[in-house]
Amino acid sequence: LPRKGLGVTRGEETTQDDVLCSSMNNFIENHRLCTGERDDLLRRNGELATLLKRVRADQGEIRVYLTKLEEDHHATAVVRENMMVALAKQEKDAAGLAARECNALRDVLGRQG
């Protein structure tokens, strides 16, 4: 900007100073706004980082629970299989016992008759 002594009148210099002052004020205000937005973004970023840590910790706990559930499911399947084998054996034993008793009763009735 031309300064006094270079053909600039006092009124023009005042206008130039006012424009410069206004521009500086706008710059300062914009800087404050940007700084405020940056601080807000940093705060929110911190909150998101904390939330992400909690989510990761929760995922770890969920994996532990899922592993335990899978182990329990497998153990239940083994117990169920063992129970089915035991039940089949009991049925076979009961059928064999009933057949022996029936044969014994026939023998007794055959001797009497």
Side-chain angles (χ1 to χ4, degrees), residues 20-51:
L20 181 60
C21 184
S22 177
S23 293
M24 288 301 294
N25 287 338
N26 287 339
F27 175 77
I28 291 168
E29 182 59 28
N30 286 335
H31 181 265
R32 285 182 186 143
L33 288 173
C34 289
T35 302
E37 288 177 14
R38 183 203 64 204
D39 292 345
D40 187 50
L41 289 172
L42 287 172
R43 179 190 55 77
R44 285 196 271 166
N45 188 52
E47 291 171 359
L48 289 173
T50 300
L51 182 60

Side-chain angles (χ1 to χ4, degrees), residues 21-22 29-30 55 65 67-68 72 81-82 96 99 101 108:
C21 184
S22 177
E29 182 59 28
N30 286 335
V55 166
Y65 290 132
T67 300
K68 178 75 171 120
D72 290 350
E81 182 64 28
N82 290 341
E101 288 179 0
V108 169

Side-chain angles (χ1 to χ4, degrees), residues 1-18:
L1 295 173
R3 298 304 295 167
K4 189 174 181 181
L6 300 176
V8 177
T9 66
R10 181 77 174 133
E12 290 173 336
E13 184 179 336
T14 301
T15 301
Q16 289 174 355
D17 287 348
D18 290 345

